[in-house]
Amino acid sequence: MSTPAMIWMFLCILVGFVCMVVGAGGYRRGWRQPVWIGWVVAAFLFLTVIPVVLALTIGLSHG
């Protein structure tokens, strides 16, 4: 895996963790349900969907 690809993967996972912490904090502080659920969904995308797509496209492009 190339260095730029690893940097993008790291950034996506980092943003996912930040979104998860904000969503959990919003739940604990009593934010409206659509707000903290939106943060949790964004965290799910950044922690699972985007890294998997990146890994597949990187793996397929390098043979």
Side-chain angles (χ1 to χ4, degrees):
M1 188 180 295
S2 66
T3 303
M6 287 191 293
I7 291 172
W8 278 111
M9 190 79 70
F10 173 76
L11 289 176
C12 282
I13 293 171
L14 180 69
V15 169
F17 279 120
V18 169
C19 288
M20 186 61 71
V21 168
V22 171
Y27 172 75
R28 298 279 296 160
R29 288 182 165 245
W31 290 356
R32 292 182 304 119
Q33 190 174 9
V35 176
W36 64 264
I37 286 181
W39 281 99
V40 172
V41 168
F44 176 76
L45 289 175
F46 278 107
L47 288 173
T48 58
V49 176
I50 295 173
V52 167
V53 169
L54 281 173
L56 288 173
T57 55
I58 291 165
L60 292 175
S61 66
H62 290 302

